[in-house]
Amino acid sequence: MSSLLWAVVLLPAATGAVLALVGHRLDKAAAPAAVVTAAAGLVLAVTAAVLHPSAGAPLVVAGGLDLAVDPLGALMLVTSASAVLLVVIFAAGDIHEHRARFFGLLLIFSAAAATTATATALPGLLLAWELMGACSLALIGYPWRQARTVGSGTTAFLVTRTGDLGLYLAVAAAVAGAPGLALADLPVAHEPWRSVAAAGVLAAAIGKSAQLPVSFWLSRAMDGPSPVSALLHSATMVALGTFLLLRTTDLLAATSWASATAAWVGVVTAVVLGAVALAQRDLKQLLAASTASQLGYVVLAAGIGSVSGGAVQLVAHAATKALLFLAAGAWLSLLGTRQLSALRGAGRRWPVIGVCAAVGLASLAGLPPLSLWAAKDGVLAAAREVSPALYLAGLLGAALAAAYAAKALAVLLGPEPQITTSPRIREEEDRTGPGDHGSATAHWTPHAGGVGGLQRVPLVVLAAAAAVLGALALPPVAQRLRGALDRAGAPPATPSVGELVLSGVVALVVVAVVIAAQLRRSSPTTSSVPSSSSSSSYSSAAAGPTAEWRQSGLRTRLQDWLQGWLGLEAAAHALVVRPVVGLATVLARWDDRGLDRGVSAVAAAATSTARGAARFDDRRVDGAVRSVAAAARAAGRLARRSQSGQLHRYYAAAAVVLLLAAVLLALAPSA
């Protein structure tokens, strides 16, 4: 049984390592090898989810790489493996450069995700956590010749690494106050170590899942390839941040503050990032903000102890968001842009992508009977049992989700523009500037191309999943999940019929209002050009809600603030990066001027001492040795004089000695 679980982890890791290390010589074989490996990984993951194996290997004295498949891990393992397979198939038709390196990194990334989903102890979790962070840096910065993408990968890596320090803190707390390094040991740790461990886990999860106040790294991560965005947001790194909180709900509940903190961080992120998504003009930025917002419901579920509600939301969101990011990637490949103003009517032009994206956006909006409709209501039903305030805030986030999804839906499925340039679009291009996001004025013109079957198949499969996975939140499946995942006393995550009807009606109304407003707003400004070249003529043509919005300085600043993700990156630079860089500069100067000089002075003193010792050695010690040697040589010369080899001299010497002996005997006193 343990070999099955090792195969789940090691098969993609080994294949990915070979592809990444061998490099371009395997470019042609990389995509087929990755697809076969991902398909085998899905089969192994499903088998492991049924058999629930466990495995272990020693890493450190206090713990090791302990893996096991429990019901929550099984759900995450199958979800992650499914998303990896579909993304790899899509990427096989979308990625054309450095394929061996790309697919190699993707498979290693998936192996780290599988390890995270099944890790039961902190050492193994930490190992997989680190590997995921490193792979995310390489995948986001995959277009490594572009300075911005490399910088974006570095930003994402540094922000998540800062949060990852929390896991090291949790390990230290476990060593100090828990009976072991297993995740199950953390809730019974002694205080204050239990709270320290909870704080560390919370920080690591918030960082990885891009919750407030560190959501901005998700915006920068959008510079990576779309398949990477799809995998990152659906069932690997970002989603696994919230999975960690679901895994450690007992630890959060064992403290007096961590559960409430997680719940409020999640619901505030759902509302605020929903507003950020609504303000976006870039499709991938809108989807990125919606990821943080939707995963806020999972964090909320973890905070209130509803593991089953959070798990269903996680799975439904994985299918929906993977679908939408892959659709955005398809349009980016076709049109070279992801600006909403340049994608108007794109869903009609490419109907397969358009229908699939419409299903995903309708699910994102919470329209019945699609997956996020019931999944989100399950979390809200559990929140209502705990706190009316959390429930109302969650409803507000759901309304915002319907609004931003409807905004994208109206653009993509709206009527195609009759012209390609308008003063408003020119103004937008002047504001945003050209770049790899695509030019706003380079609006798509009739295009003869399309996407291949490798890209269409994953879209269709994910659209089907986004449509039906909401059944997990409905009876009787919901009761079985609750029995398998929730602890005793957890709030029920099964919405009533009235709640489902109410949320569905609210979503329908919001979607209808937003679509009507979008169509009315876009009609006079993007489908016609003012007949007069005078500014007054244009001002007259542009009169309406958009003009009013722009004429209000406060509203414009608010919109800019939301489009810039609340200025969180600038705030992080002002509050963290610049002080740290300033401190590093001061320390570097101290190192150069103080520490280095001290070391140089010590070295100079040591050299001077060594020279003095050398002189003493040369002049004193060596002189003494030479004197002793000279004395020995002189004594030797004297001794050699008596050794002449002439026998008569030896006899004469013996006679003298005997004579002296006789004299001494004669002079000696008698006894």
Side-chain angles (χ1 to χ4, degrees), residues 75 308-309 311-313 315-317 319-320 363 367-378 464-482 493-495 500:
L75 199 62
S308 61
V312 172
Q313 171 74 9
V315 173
H317 175 264
T320 301
S363 173
L367 292 179
L370 303 175
S371 60
L372 284 174
W373 164 62
K376 193 183 304 174
D377 284 350
V468 304
L469 282 176
L472 295 175
L474 300 174
V477 182
Q479 281 81 1
R480 296 189 63 181
L481 282 176
R482 177 173 163 76
T494 306
L500 289 170

Side-chain angles (χ1 to χ4, degrees), residues 54-130:
S54 61
L59 281 181
V60 294
V61 175
L65 180 57
D66 298 325
L67 308 178
V69 180
D70 60 4
L72 180 61
L75 199 62
M76 193 68 226
L77 193 61
V78 173
T79 301
S80 178
S82 303
V84 168
L85 175 59
L86 294 171
V87 169
V88 165
I89 292 174
F90 183 91
D94 189 63
I95 300 296
H96 304 291
E97 293 183 351
H98 309 291
R99 290 159 67 93
R101 180 167 63 90
F102 179 83
F103 286 105
L105 291 170
L106 212 61
L107 290 176
I108 296 172
F109 192 50
S110 69
T115 306
T116 303
T118 55
T120 60
L122 285 170
L125 177 64
L126 195 56
L127 177 66
W129 209 256
E130 292 285 0

Side-chain angles (χ1 to χ4, degrees), residues 32 209 335 442 457 620 636:
S209 58
L335 305 172
V457 169
R620 302 299 180 186

Side-chain angles (χ1 to χ4, degrees), residues 318-411:
T320 301
K321 199 49 63 70
L323 165 64
L324 292 174
F325 271 113
L326 292 184
W331 277 315
L332 183 60
S333 298
L334 290 167
L335 305 172
T337 182
R338 61 194 204 198
Q339 293 289 329
L340 285 172
S341 59
L343 291 173
R344 194 173 305 283
R348 295 189 179 192
R349 179 65 179 174
W350 290 276
V352 173
I353 308 174
V355 170
C356 293
V359 172
L361 289 170
S363 173
L364 196 62
L367 292 179
L370 303 175
S371 60
L372 284 174
W373 164 62
K376 193 183 304 174
D377 284 350
V379 176
L380 293 179
R384 179 173 48 77
E385 296 291 327
V386 176
S387 166
L390 288 173
Y391 175 70
L392 292 175
L395 279 181
L396 177 59
L400 288 168
Y404 61 68
K407 174 183 174 181
L409 201 60
V411 170

